[in-house]
Amino acid sequence: MTEIQSEANSRGRRAGGILLLACAVIALLLFVLANLGIIAAGLFTFLFLALIVVGIICIGIALFAIPMYIMKDPTVEPGNYELDDVSPVNDAKDH
């Protein structure tokens, strides 16, 4: 008899938990819908600041990379660079 009562009690707790979760989700949705303008403005501000930070990083990288590229001293050793003269690394067939 106690098993039947505990099963009903357990089912009641699960149903109550599901109802409580549903109420919390509905309350959250209503809160978001009521404050949609504020949330949109905050999201826009966050994305705008992220764009500014990424732009500053790109400008910093460019200011660092361009002088490094200008100062780079390419050295080309004389020789034959045709692909016909390239020998395979592994002569054995892998497959």
Side-chain angles (χ1 to χ4, degrees):
M1 193 85 173
T2 57
E3 288 182 19
I4 296 172
Q5 188 177 7
S6 67
E7 276 185 28
N9 192 10
S10 177
R11 274 189 254 139
R13 284 185 185 174
R14 281 186 296 203
I18 290 172
L19 284 175
L20 185 63
L21 181 64
C23 288
V25 168
I26 291 171
L28 182 65
L29 284 173
L30 289 175
F31 176 78
V32 167
L33 289 174
N35 298 311
L36 198 55
I38 296 170
I39 293 171
L43 183 62
F44 178 75
T45 304
F46 175 74
L47 291 175
F48 185 68
L49 289 175
L51 184 66
I52 289 173
V53 168
V54 168
I56 290 171
I57 290 172
C58 288
I59 290 171
I61 289 173
L63 290 177
F64 179 72
I66 291 172
M68 293 292 287
Y69 183 74
I70 291 171
M71 297 299 292
K72 184 175 91 169
D73 186 24
T75 56
V76 178
E77 297 181 14
N80 188 5
Y81 290 100
E82 293 182 18
L83 290 176
D84 295 334
D85 297 332
V86 176
S87 61
V89 176
N90 187 3
D91 289 334
K93 291 185 179 181
D94 292 335
H95 301 288

